Amino acid sequence: MSGKIRKQEFLNFPKFCMILAGIWRMALPTRNTALKKCYLFYSGFVQVFFLSMLCSMCVQFVLVTVDQNGTKDSEKWFKQLSDIIILAVAEFSAVLCQGNKLMEIISYILEEERQILQTGDRETLNFYEKQAKFCRRSNLVLFVLTTGTGSCMILENVQRRFEIEKFNKDHNETVEVQFPFELYYYKLDKAKHGLSVQLVNDISVVINIFIIIATKLIFLSSIMFVPSVLTKLQIKFKKMSTCDEDMARVLVYEHQKVIRFVANLNESIKYMVMLEYLMNSLNVAAVSIQLIRMQGEMVASPMCYLGFLFIQTFVFGWSANEIQMKSLALANAIYTSSWYEQKEKIKRILLLMIVRGQKPLMLTIGPFDAMTTQSALKVMKASYSYISLMINN
């Protein structure tokens, strides 16, 4: 096996991102009490700041909406509404990440990974290594694109503030700087306190990026792990020559365990996935229109964000599709094994597993269709329709 894996791989990077976002709720990789207390304080600050930012944006949005002077820009109004929905989805995902269900999901993955690494079966370990590498690379690409988006937004904030300040100085005016997140600052004069406003906005960008990437990666890694468990079971059945009652009970238990795991995972993320799919089609359209109308300036952050949306949508769809394919392949593996040579009682157990295996395991988009590569394509088709509608109008 090329590149031996000696430790558990799937949750290492998502765990690091969740710690950065302040939403990791299991044991920290340190025994230092002072560090644990600092993390609790940091976690509280991040979550209070993020919630305050969301509330502030909602207040500002309401004020702009009820503005009696009729000066509001419809494009900016739509962008602010879109940002509020994105942040609300991120907050919802962050709450899910700290719930008991996710803790159970994480515990299951860690336990199953240990068992896979202890099997010693070359075929199982080869598939695990391949899946773990793909998971790491997908996580890294999404992390780079997300942090790239945030970094570009911060640099654009600095550039925008200097340009406006120079314009105000040259023309003796007080034009306000427009930042990515339009927050409510009460009576603070944004023109006079540009540096403070920029600092608050930059912190908002950083925290927003941390929470978005942490919530995406933990769910993506959980989805990507399921095919490894199904493959382990599939290989066990393929190599089975004789099967006693104890082995049959173990196989049934393992099969039921992975079925429960997928059901719990789906229950935890299906509504988040539904919101993501609805928003992704609108976001792809909005960012694409923004890029079309740009004259070449400040295109880095929308380009990174567009790449993130594309890759996230298709990787999630492909990974969910793999679960369906592997769960159906498990029934085929049982059927092609020597089940007909077993005792009568064992035969009945294996036949029941074959029947159960005809119903594929799947993740759904809310209470609707299964999440697959086809659903990812539908998102892109919807985005294209929105783009055509916006351009024609």
Side-chain angles (χ1 to χ4, degrees):
M1 185 173 68
S2 60
K4 290 182 181 177
I5 294 178
R6 303 182 185 277
K7 60 182 180 179
Q8 294 169 291
E9 294 278 336
F10 273 85
L11 296 183
N12 285 348
F13 194 62
K15 177 182 176 181
F16 167 73
C17 293
M18 288 179 77
I19 290 172
L20 274 182
I23 57 175
W24 181 256
R25 288 293 167 263
M26 297 184 78
L28 290 171
T30 180
R31 294 182 180 179
N32 191 310
T33 309
L35 278 177
K36 288 180 180 179
K37 287 180 179 178
C38 287
Y39 176 74
L40 286 174
F41 174 79
Y42 169 74
S43 174
F45 167 76
V46 168
Q47 294 188 67
V48 169
F49 187 95
F50 188 79
L51 193 57
S52 302
M53 177 180 70
L54 181 56
C55 293
S56 176
M57 286 183 70
C58 289
V59 171
Q60 182 65 19
F61 177 75
V62 170
L63 291 174
V64 170
T65 303
V66 299
D67 183 14
Q68 298 300 315
N69 298 324
T71 56
K72 61 176 179 285
D73 186 328
S74 59
E75 208 167 294
K76 286 181 182 177
W77 181 89
F78 178 78
K79 181 186 177 301
Q80 192 165 357
L81 177 61
S82 175
D83 287 342
I84 289 170
I85 295 171
I86 291 168
L87 293 182
V89 172
E91 177 65 21
F92 177 60
S93 303
V95 171
L96 285 179
C97 283
Q98 298 171 80
N100 291 330
K101 277 192 177 179
L102 188 76
M103 299 304 108
E104 291 172 11
I105 287 167
I106 290 172
S107 299
Y108 173 86
I109 292 172
L110 293 173
E111 180 56 34
E112 285 296 324
E113 260 192 303
R114 268 189 226 105
Q115 290 182 19
I116 288 170
L117 292 170
Q118 289 169 6
T119 57
D121 182 83
R122 190 177 185 84
E123 195 176 345
T124 304
L125 290 171
N126 278 339
F127 182 82
Y128 172 83
E129 178 186 17
K130 179 183 172 184
Q131 195 72 359
K133 279 183 179 177
F134 180 69
C135 183
R136 284 199 310 272
R137 287 169 183 169
S138 301
N139 286 344
L140 185 60
V141 169
L142 289 174
F143 180 81
V144 168
L145 287 171
T146 314
T147 51
T149 303
S151 302
C152 291
M153 286 172 74
I154 290 171
L155 291 172
E156 288 165 8
N157 283 350
V158 175
Q159 181 184 343
R160 193 180 292 111
R161 184 173 67 84
F162 279 127
E163 286 176 354
I164 294 295
E165 285 181 356
K166 185 176 183 301
F167 177 85
N168 288 344
K169 187 177 179 182
D170 294 344
H171 297 82
N172 196 25
E173 294 185 20
T174 54
V175 177
E176 289 184 356
V177 184
Q178 298 298 318
F179 290 114
F181 295 135
E182 285 299 316
L183 306 175
Y184 175 63
Y185 295 101
Y186 191 48
K187 293 183 179 180
L188 184 70
D189 188 337
K190 289 195 283 185
K192 290 181 180 178
H193 300 88
L195 182 59
S196 302
V197 172
Q198 182 194 326
L199 183 61
V200 171
N201 212 282
D202 289 348
I203 294 172
S204 301
V205 169
V206 170
I207 290 176
N208 185 38
I209 291 299
F210 282 171
I211 289 179
I212 286 176
I213 194 61
T215 53
K216 295 289 184 294
L217 295 193
I218 189 63
F219 290 126
L220 178 61
S221 298
S222 301
I223 293 169
M224 284 188 171
F225 178 71
V226 178
S228 297
V229 183
L230 291 169
T231 300
K232 181 188 76 169
L233 266 174
Q234 187 180 332
I235 292 166
K236 277 187 178 181
F237 281 113
K238 275 183 181 177
K239 296 185 176 181
M240 180 180 69
S241 54
T242 58
C243 182
D244 56 27
E245 285 190 36
D246 289 338
M247 185 186 292
R249 286 195 194 98
V250 169
L251 292 172
V252 169
Y253 174 70
E254 287 188 13
H255 191 211
Q256 288 176 339
K257 206 160 65 160
V258 72
I259 290 170
R260 283 196 301 272
F261 172 73
V262 174
N264 287 338
L265 182 60
N266 185 53
E267 196 62 33
S268 297
I269 68 171
K270 63 181 180 181
Y271 291 109
M272 183 205 75
V273 168
M274 181 178 69
L275 291 171
E276 287 286 349
Y277 269 69
L278 288 171
M279 284 305 301
N280 280 359
S281 55
L282 290 170
N283 284 334
V284 168
V287 176
S288 300
I289 291 294
Q290 185 183 349
L291 285 168
I292 290 168
R293 291 177 178 172
M294 278 182 169
Q295 300 298 319
E297 74 285 354
M298 297 185 182
V299 297
S301 60
M303 282 292 290
C304 286
Y305 187 51
L306 189 62
F308 169 79
L309 290 172
F310 267 101
I311 292 171
Q312 174 206 327
T313 303
F314 280 102
V315 168
F316 265 86
W318 181 86
S319 302
N321 203 67
E322 278 291 289
I323 293 176
Q324 287 194 45
M325 300 301 292
K326 288 292 179 183
S327 64
L328 290 171
L330 181 59
N332 291 333
I334 301 170
Y335 183 74
T336 54
S337 70
S338 55
W339 64 271
Y340 48 85
E341 296 177 359
Q342 311 302 325
K343 293 178 182 177
E344 198 62 35
K345 188 174 181 180
I346 307 299
K347 278 185 192 177
R348 287 198 296 270
I349 292 171
L350 295 176
L351 282 170
L352 284 171
M353 290 183 74
I354 291 171
V355 172
R356 175 60 187 87
Q358 301 306 307
K359 182 183 177 183
L361 301 178
M362 63 177 68
L363 300 173
T364 60
I365 303 170
F368 305 112
D369 289 340
M371 179 168 58
T372 62
T373 47
Q374 289 301 312
S375 54
L377 286 171
K378 285 177 184 176
V379 169
M380 296 306 150
K381 285 178 182 176
S383 299
Y384 178 75
S385 301
Y386 294 143
I387 292 168
S388 302
L389 186 65
M390 289 177 189
I391 290 175
N392 291 333
N393 288 342

